[in-house]
């Protein structure tokens, strides 16, 4: 009795299909292989060739397997002739990503570990962070973090060693006898040793596991091949096949360079089982139907990923989908194999293109970030090259460096190929500044008590004169002792706040009395100041009607009113800036050229300057404008010279277009400055 007798009968059409299949089964396995390999199951020519070369000495892959792999390779070559090359490259990249992920499951987790500002941490904090990483993260996922922590710790320790060495030699020590270590250094070395041991152990075990899993999978392939020649009940054979699939699914990761070859060999023999074994169509169709449903779900999810804005997340999930397609699901009916694979491949290409486009845009951003960071590093170097002679100067430098340092950390990522170099340049610039700063403050210790005595003398002068009514004599004196205070430098920290408060209170007491006297003597200016404040509030509520000419006249009328309101006290001179900000908001609502807007506002500024007692302000303004004109002319000449380097370039060259755009922009600016100079000359 046939092995099919105990299974349900098929209808006419299905019986014809089975009959045709059984007739085809008379063909040898190697002949049919060229008809059954679909594009979803192929590997690249390079991968197949390399795999064949690598596995020559493997006893598991016998000569029959070699023949079948050669056929797979030939079919792939044949299909590659008619397949889009770009699509093949993308699929090969995806296969490589899946293979890598199969070998190293920690790949994605490595990206989820927060990278902190290790440069800002102390040695104690670095050790604490190191322990935390080893305790809470996978040992294979923290290499980059550990290396950065190690470099930062060693840099800080080496700086400390250099300081101790200088002190040792200054005390008359011999360099041969110098040795320096600390408990912190020994603790760090111990932790790093433990890390290296754990990491080495992990990779040794991983290598053994990968090889063992490879052997398991090769054994499973041999067992699968043997199913074609087993004489047993079809139910038993099918159950055996299902059990093999389950063991394959649970066999674990294998070396990346073997992944695609081994998987394709397994899938090839899986198809042979369906196509050559006298399977009952219900068993076969049930499996085909299940695989088709699951693959359609994968395609549906890939369609959603093609619209995903987070391209990195989409790519990571696409790797998982490819892994499921390869490892978890078997073949589908022949009529569906090519269409669903082509659909999945097209979506893969789309997601890949989205990712590449994203990277292109990111590269542009990273290049701009690099330019910004290099500029910041240059500024740090410039700031650090100037060594102040007093405490206040160094405090100002510290603030500038801290501001630049903060700008550097918020400037964003740079291209990965220059990341280490940029980071090193930054650390070097900051470290050089810190060394000079520390050297200065060390040299100040012996002078701090002298400085304290000098400042106490200034405090006595300030307190003795704070009630003086002889402003013409006392004011220059108070300004001088304030300038002298800044020049004196550092005092002992415990006295710093106390003496500064005394000095500041005495000076403020005197200058507050001066301001009160001046306010009394300049009530008219104070009244003008109040009127101008009220005028600003009024113009803030000015509503434009939408007619440019009417609105412009309305704004000019308000400016004319402002000009009549008079001068304000010197300390309140910033009200002009406040008024100009309100005007800027109104001008933005009008469709005026930049030159027109600037000139309207400039007339208001000139009125303010011309109201001053002498013409020095106007002369200073005129000199300033001429200087700006020279600067802009210089910029234009430089840009036009730069164009000479591109005289053989195409007109649509992006660099040429950018330079031409900058030249046009500078010429517009030059016209504005010339118009301002002409206006001020008329006065």
């Amino acid at each position: 009795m046939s092995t099919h007798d105990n299974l349900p009968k098929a209808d006419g059409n299905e019986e014809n299909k089975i009959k045709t299949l059984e007739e085809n089964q008379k063909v040898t396995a190697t002949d049919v292989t060229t008809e059954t390999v679909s594009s979803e199951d192929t590997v690249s020519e390079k991968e197949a060739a390399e795999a064949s070369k690598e596995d020559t000495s493997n006893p598991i892959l016998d000569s029959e397997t070699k023949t079948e792999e050669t056929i797979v390779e030939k079919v792939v070559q044949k299909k590659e002739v008619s397949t889009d090359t770009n699509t093949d490259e993308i699929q090969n990249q995806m296969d490589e990503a899946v293979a890598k992920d199969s070998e190293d499951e920690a790949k994605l987790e490595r990206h989820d570990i927060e990278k902190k500002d290790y440069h800002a941490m102390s040695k104690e904090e670095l050790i604490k962070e190191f322990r935390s990483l080893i305790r809470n993260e996978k040992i294979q996922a923290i290499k980059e973090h550990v290396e950065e922590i190690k470099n930062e710790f060693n840099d800080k320790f080496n700086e400390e060693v250099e300081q101790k060495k200088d002190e040792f030699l200054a005390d008359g020590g011999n360099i041969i006898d110098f040795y320096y270590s600390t408990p912190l250094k020994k603790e760090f070395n111990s932790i790093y040793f433990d890390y290296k041991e754990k990491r080495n152990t992990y990779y040794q075990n991983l290598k053994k596991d990968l090889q063992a899993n490879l052997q398991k999978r090769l054994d499973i392939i041999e067992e699968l091949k043997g199913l074609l020649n087993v004489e047993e009940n079809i139910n038993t054979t099918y159950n055996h096949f299902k059990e093999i699939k389950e063991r394959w699914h649970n066999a674990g990761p294998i070396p990346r360079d073997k992944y695609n070859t081994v998987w394709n060999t397994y899938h090839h023999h899986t198809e042979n089982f369906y196509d050559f074994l006298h399977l009952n169509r219900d068993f076969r169709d049930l499996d085909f139907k299940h695989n088709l449903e699951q693959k359609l779900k994968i395609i549906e999810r890939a369609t959603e990923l093609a619209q995903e804005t987070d391209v990195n997340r989409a790519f990571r999930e696409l790797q998982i989908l490819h892994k499921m397609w390869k490892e978890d699901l078997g073949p589908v009916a022949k009529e569906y194999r090519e269409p669903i694979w082509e659909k999945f491949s097209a979506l893969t290409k789309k997601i890949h293109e989205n990712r590449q486009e994203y990277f292109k845009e990111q590269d542009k951003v990273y290049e701009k970030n690099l330019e910004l960071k290099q500029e910041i590093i240059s500024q740090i170097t410039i700031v650090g090259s100037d060594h102040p002679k007093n405490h206040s100067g160094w405090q100002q430098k510290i603030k500038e460096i801290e501001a630049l340092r903060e700008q550097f950390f918020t400037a964003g990522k740079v291209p990965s190929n220059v990341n280490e170099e940029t980071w090193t340049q930054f650390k070097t610039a900051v470290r050089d500044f810190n060394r000079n700063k520390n050297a200065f403050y060390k040299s100040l210790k012996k002078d701090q008590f002298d400085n304290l005595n000098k400042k106490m003398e200034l405090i006595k002068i300030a307190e003795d004169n704070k009630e003086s009514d002889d402003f013409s004599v006392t004011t220059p004196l108070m300004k001088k002792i304030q300038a002298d205070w800044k020049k004196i430098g550092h005092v002992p920290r415990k006295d710093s706040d106390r003496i500064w408060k005394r000095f500041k209170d005495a000076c403020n007491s005197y200058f507050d009395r001066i301001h009160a006297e001046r306010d009394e003597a300049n009530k008219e200016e104070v009244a003008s100041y109040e009127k101008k404040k009220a005028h600003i509030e009024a113009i803030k509520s000015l509503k434009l009607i939408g007619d440019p000419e009417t609105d412009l006249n309305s704004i000019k009328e308000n400016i004319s009113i402002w000009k009549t309101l008079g001068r304000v006290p010197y300390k309140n001179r910033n009200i002009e800036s406040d008024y100009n900000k309100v005007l800027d908001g109104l001008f933005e609502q009008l469709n005026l050229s930049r030159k027109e807007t600037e000139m309207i506002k400039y007339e208001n500024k000139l009125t303010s300057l011309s109201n001053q007692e002498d013409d020095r302000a106007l002369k200073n303004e005129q000199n300033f404008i001429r200087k700006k004109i020279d600067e802009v002319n210089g910029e234009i000449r430089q840009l036009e010279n730069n164009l000479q380097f591109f005289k053989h370039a195409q007109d649509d060259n992006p660099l040429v277009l950018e330079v031409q755009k900058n030249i046009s922009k500078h010429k517009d600016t030059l016209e504005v400055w010339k118009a301002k100079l002409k206006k001020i000359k008329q006065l």
Side-chain angles (χ1 to χ4, degrees), residues 71-84:
I71 295 170
V72 171
E73 183 179 327
K74 289 180 179 178
V75 174
V76 172
Q77 292 172 350
K78 181 178 179 182
K79 286 184 177 291
E80 284 178 342
V81 173
S82 60
T83 304
D84 182 75

Side-chain angles (χ1 to χ4, degrees), residues 525-541 561-562 565-569 571-576 578-579 582:
E525 291 183 359
V526 173
S528 295
Y529 173 65
E530 295 299 327
K531 291 177 184 177
K532 286 194 171 184
K533 284 203 302 182
H535 186 73
I536 288 177
E537 293 304 317
I539 200 173
K540 282 181 180 179
S541 61
I561 295 173
W562 178 269
L565 297 181
R567 295 174 55 184
V568 299
K571 67 178 182 179
N572 302 123
R573 64 191 182 281
N574 287 335
I575 196 170
E576 295 290 337
D578 297 338
Y579 182 61
V582 177

Side-chain angles (χ1 to χ4, degrees), residues 36 41 67 91 221 246 257 370 376 466 485 545 578 599:
T36 60
D41 305 325
T67 302
Q91 188 56 46
I221 290 173
E246 181 65 22
D257 58 339
L370 176 60
I376 293 171
K466 67 180 181 179
W485 182 280
I545 63 175
D578 297 338
M599 293 310 300

Side-chain angles (χ1 to χ4, degrees), residues 51 84 87 161 167 209 230 273 478 547 552 593 665 679:
D84 182 75
T87 303
V161 170
E167 293 173 4
D209 291 343
V230 173
F273 179 81
M478 297 296 279
D547 178 27
L552 181 58
S593 68
K665 182 179 177 182
K679 194 74 177 177

Side-chain angles (χ1 to χ4, degrees), residues 63-119:
S63 59
E64 179 184 351
T65 304
K66 291 298 178 185
T67 302
E68 291 161 347
E69 287 181 344
T70 303
I71 295 170
V72 171
E73 183 179 327
K74 289 180 179 178
V75 174
V76 172
Q77 292 172 350
K78 181 178 179 182
K79 286 184 177 291
E80 284 178 342
V81 173
S82 60
T83 304
D84 182 75
T85 304
N86 187 39
T87 303
D88 284 350
E89 291 176 356
I90 292 172
Q91 188 56 46
N92 291 339
Q93 291 178 23
M94 183 56 63
D95 288 343
E96 174 64 16
V98 173
K100 185 177 180 182
D101 185 49
S102 178
E103 177 179 312
D104 187 2
E105 298 293 344
K107 179 172 71 71
L108 298 181
E109 296 174 18
R110 187 176 302 125
H111 296 282
D112 296 331
I113 303 175
E114 177 188 5
K115 182 171 282 190
K116 300 179 180 179
D117 179 9
Y118 300 125
H119 181 66

Side-chain angles (χ1 to χ4, degrees), residues 3 25-30 62 64-65 68 221-234 236-238 240-241 244 269 272-279:
T3 55
Q25 289 168 352
K26 296 176 183 178
V27 185
T28 62
T30 55
D62 57 16
E64 179 184 351
T65 304
E68 291 161 347
I221 290 173
E222 290 300 305
E223 190 174 346
L224 177 59
K225 288 165 55 179
L227 288 181
L228 300 180
N229 302 316
V230 173
E231 295 292 338
E232 61 184 2
N233 181 279
I234 188 63
T236 304
T237 302
Y238 184 71
H240 190 179
F241 172 67
I244 285 176
H269 291 296
N272 280 351
F273 179 81
Y274 282 109
D275 292 339
F276 303 124
L277 191 64
H278 290 273
L279 268 178

Side-chain angles (χ1 to χ4, degrees), residues 127 181-189:
I127 288 177
S181 184
T182 65
L184 278 178
K185 176 62 174 173
K186 293 177 181 177
E187 183 180 2
F188 182 86
N189 290 345

